[in-house]
Amino acid sequence: MRADARKNRDHLLAVAGSAITEQGVDVSLRDIARRADVGLATLLRHFPTREALLDALLRTSFDELTAKAVELESSGSPEDALLSWLRDCVGWTTEYRGVTVLMAAAIEDTQSALHASCVTLRAAGARLLTRAQAAGVARADIDGADLFALIAMLAWLGDQSALAPRADRLFGVVASALLTNPGERDPQTPG
Amino acid sequence: MRADARKNRDHLLAVAGSAITEQGVDVSLRDIARRADVGLATLLRHFPTREALLDALLRTSFDELTAKAVELESSGSPEDALLSWLRDCVGWTTEYRGVTVLMAAAIEDTQSALHASCVTLRAAGARLLTRAQAAGVARADIDGADLFALIAMLAWLGDQSALAPRADRLFGVVASALLTNPGERDPQTPG
DNA sequence: ACCTGAACACCGTTCAAGT
DNA sequence: ACCTGAACACCGTTCAAGT
């Protein structure tokens, strides 16, 4: 990549970061280009879609969340590990208002630039869930895709200003449901 | 209202109903006007905002849901009443893709044309919740606003095509959390 | 290689001009 | 009273023309 192109790209990412923090992920791409003092076509040349821009912007965070999950897989109790990772995921999305809807769309759209990151994240969560289920501390009737949906629900709550004040409490409600094994209190007897 | 105006209004509502069923509540207002063979300005004269159009369109459903809650207040067990009303609410929104976001915004925006309907709905749910809590079958640590947020979460799930297949299962998960009274199993001894 | 202005087809809002 | 076309300020997409 040519030096001027690299510079444009980096500057666009920095400006996009601020703009999204202020206005959410639906911020006008034209506005980002204006603030970065480049043409809109230049932004689109570097990031052909809004998702591509977001993927570049969130890649570090995505990787950190995945790494955190791997780390938690072998530390702490299975219950605490799952719970703490859930909290991290939901808390993270609050920095990027509106990102949950895009992630929910991306996980089934193999063409989306965010697809791979979302699938990786879901898999990381699924491993923590499986471990907790094996230890008998999480309900056995849900899987990684359910967990992803639960995280999305709670993250979306935080995006809605009228509902956000309830997000913490409802995180607790949902977590308590997740960590209960209804009708099967003894983890040692499978059948 | 003049006869021609009345006719335009009714026709617009009918067309809007079809358009929203097909494309969701974010459908272009221009498109609705086109389909109804009137100018866009005419649509906006009858319904100055998207919310006003939706309120006119959903008023019957809103009233039915509220009436259903009142009816359930004095029939069936408090637990079944709450659960069945929750199911009705969540199920209803699936007919109007995207309406949940508008409702979440409307409940705190006193200027929104949907505000009153949302507040009434929340109050109806709150009464069913209070009754269930008094009977000791619902957790005591949530209120009507939490319940509204829970319904919104589950309704939003149904709007996301990638997550919708999990909506039924997660309804069950959330319902189980709602109907458990954690750490307080005896409804007769308050403290 | 990379950048850009301009044209394009949309959107919702507003209002002067018509019947 | 009620309706409407047109102008307006936006949006993301596309591409021929520049350096």
Side-chain angles (χ1 to χ4, degrees):
Chain A
M1 187 178 303
R2 235 165 57 178
D4 56 341
R6 161 107 276 149
K7 194 183 153 199
N8 269 342
R9 199 190 122 98
D10 292 347
H11 188 220
L12 275 167
L13 275 179
V15 169
S18 317
I20 287 172
T21 299
E22 292 165 22
Q23 309 192 40
V25 300
D26 292 326
V27 62
S28 154
L29 297 181
R30 235 191 191 92
D31 210 51
I32 294 175
R34 259 194 300 262
R35 287 216 232 174
D37 268 317
V38 300
L40 170 58
T42 302
L43 185 155
L44 292 168
R45 157 171 263 272
H46 285 286
F47 311 104
T49 62
R50 186 182 297 277
E51 282 74 18
L53 174 60
L54 275 168
D55 188 56
L57 204 57
L58 305 187
R59 173 145 305 286
T60 308
S61 299
F62 269 121
D63 291 348
E64 280 172 7
L65 278 173
T66 304
K68 182 72 175 283
V70 172
E71 183 192 319
L72 283 167
E73 276 178 61
S74 54
S75 74
S77 73
E79 182 168 354
D80 290 345
L82 179 58
L83 201 59
S84 128
W85 190 74
L86 280 188
R87 213 179 288 277
D88 285 349
C89 280
V90 174
W92 167 68
T93 64
T94 64
E95 296 173 47
Y96 302 94
R97 189 154 31 97
V99 77
T100 313
V101 171
L102 293 180
M103 287 175 63
I107 197 128
E108 73 169 356
D109 178 8
T110 54
Q111 302 304 310
S112 168
L114 284 172
H115 181 70
S117 298
C118 290
V119 169
T120 304
L121 202 65
R122 179 177 61 189
R127 288 193 299 272
L128 285 176
L129 175 62
T130 301
R131 176 163 168 254
Q133 287 170 327
V137 294
R139 9 188 337 150
D141 61 347
I142 68 169
D143 64 13
D146 295 312
L147 186 66
F148 187 83
L150 278 177
I151 294 172
M153 279 169 59
L154 292 166
W156 175 81
L157 263 195
D159 278 353
Q160 312 301 311
S161 61
L163 313 181
R166 310 296 169 151
D168 275 348
R169 194 200 306 274
L170 296 180
F171 181 93
V173 171
V174 169
S176 76
L178 185 62
L179 297 174
T180 313
N181 216 338
E184 168 131 18
R185 288 274 165 191
D186 182 2
Q188 305 294 0
T189 52
Chain B
M1 190 180 302
R2 236 165 57 179
D4 55 341
R6 161 109 272 148
K7 194 183 154 200
N8 269 342
R9 199 190 123 98
D10 292 347
H11 188 221
L12 275 167
L13 275 179
V15 169
S18 317
I20 287 172
T21 299
E22 292 165 22
Q23 310 193 38
V25 300
D26 291 326
V27 63
S28 155
L29 298 181
R30 233 191 192 93
D31 211 51
I32 294 175
R34 259 194 300 261
R35 287 216 233 175
D37 267 316
V38 301
L40 171 58
T42 302
L43 184 155
L44 291 168
R45 157 171 263 273
H46 284 287
F47 311 104
T49 62
R50 185 182 297 276
E51 283 74 19
L53 174 61
L54 275 168
D55 188 56
L57 204 57
L58 305 187
R59 175 145 303 286
T60 308
S61 298
F62 269 121
D63 290 347
E64 281 171 8
L65 278 174
T66 304
K68 182 73 175 284
V70 172
E71 184 192 318
L72 284 167
E73 276 177 63
S74 53
S75 74
S77 73
E79 183 168 354
D80 290 346
L82 180 58
L83 200 59
S84 128
W85 190 74
L86 279 189
R87 214 179 290 277
D88 285 349
C89 280
V90 175
W92 166 67
T93 65
T94 65
E95 297 173 47
Y96 302 95
R97 189 154 30 98
V99 78
T100 313
V101 172
L102 293 180
M103 287 175 62
I107 198 129
E108 73 169 356
D109 178 8
T110 54
Q111 302 305 309
S112 169
L114 284 171
H115 181 71
S117 299
C118 290
V119 169
T120 304
L121 202 65
R122 180 178 59 189
R127 288 193 299 272
L128 285 175
L129 175 62
T130 301
R131 176 164 168 252
Q133 286 170 328
V137 294
R139 346 180 10 137
D141 60 347
I142 67 170
D143 63 13
D146 294 312
L147 186 66
F148 187 83
L150 279 176
I151 293 172
M153 278 169 60
L154 292 165
W156 175 82
L157 263 195
D159 278 352
Q160 313 301 311
S161 61
L163 312 181
R166 310 297 170 150
D168 274 347
R169 192 200 307 273
L170 295 181
F171 180 93
V173 171
V174 169
S176 76
L178 185 61
L179 297 175
T180 313
N181 216 337
E184 170 130 17
R185 288 274 165 193
D186 182 2
Q188 304 294 1
T189 51

